[in-house]
Amino acid sequence: ENSVGILATAGDRIEVVITPTTDIGRIIAELPKVRIGGASDMLRGIQTAQLALKHRQNKNQKQRIIAFVGSPISASDKELETLGKNLKKNNVSLDLVSFGEVDENTGKLQKLHAAVN
């Protein structure tokens, strides 16, 4: 039994499109509402996802965040390392999928991934 939630990190603010749910129909219905555009704030997006995971219904499920990164990361290396250590402390797994700005983001994503593991 898996629960899936979707966040949109681009634009003015982080938007929780779908709170964690097991309803596949609701997920498919809400996907077209996700808008592409604006600057992405990955740091706040992952922090918001972590907060949504804390308030999940089934506390027996493992916590996992899958981040699709296609924009340049504006956060500093130090902020990303602190985020990674916080995720590790709270037992949250992080999967990163990088596309688009791969060359620019590689170093920062590697530091974040190293801090989580």
Side-chain angles (χ1 to χ4, degrees), residues 22-102:
T22 56
D23 184 6
I24 300 293
R26 182 172 170 225
I27 294 169
I28 293 171
E30 295 290 330
L31 274 178
K33 296 179 183 175
V34 176
R35 296 289 168 230
I36 298 172
S40 175
D41 189 354
M42 191 185 88
L43 184 71
R44 285 190 335 165
I46 292 177
Q47 289 171 339
T48 305
Q50 185 180 9
L51 184 63
L53 284 171
K54 282 185 181 179
H55 298 290
R56 67 193 185 282
Q57 290 179 343
N58 187 351
K59 299 291 183 180
N60 294 327
Q61 293 175 331
K62 292 188 178 182
Q63 301 178 79
R64 175 176 301 272
I65 297 171
I66 302 172
F68 293 89
V69 184
S71 298
I73 299 172
S74 59
S76 69
D77 291 346
K78 179 75 174 157
E79 290 173 324
L80 292 172
E81 286 179 23
T82 303
L83 175 64
K85 290 177 184 176
N86 190 15
L87 290 172
K88 184 176 183 176
K89 182 181 94 175
N90 291 322
N91 202 23
V92 178
S93 300
L94 178 66
D95 294 329
L96 297 166
V97 179
S98 180
F99 59 95
E101 303 291 334
V102 176

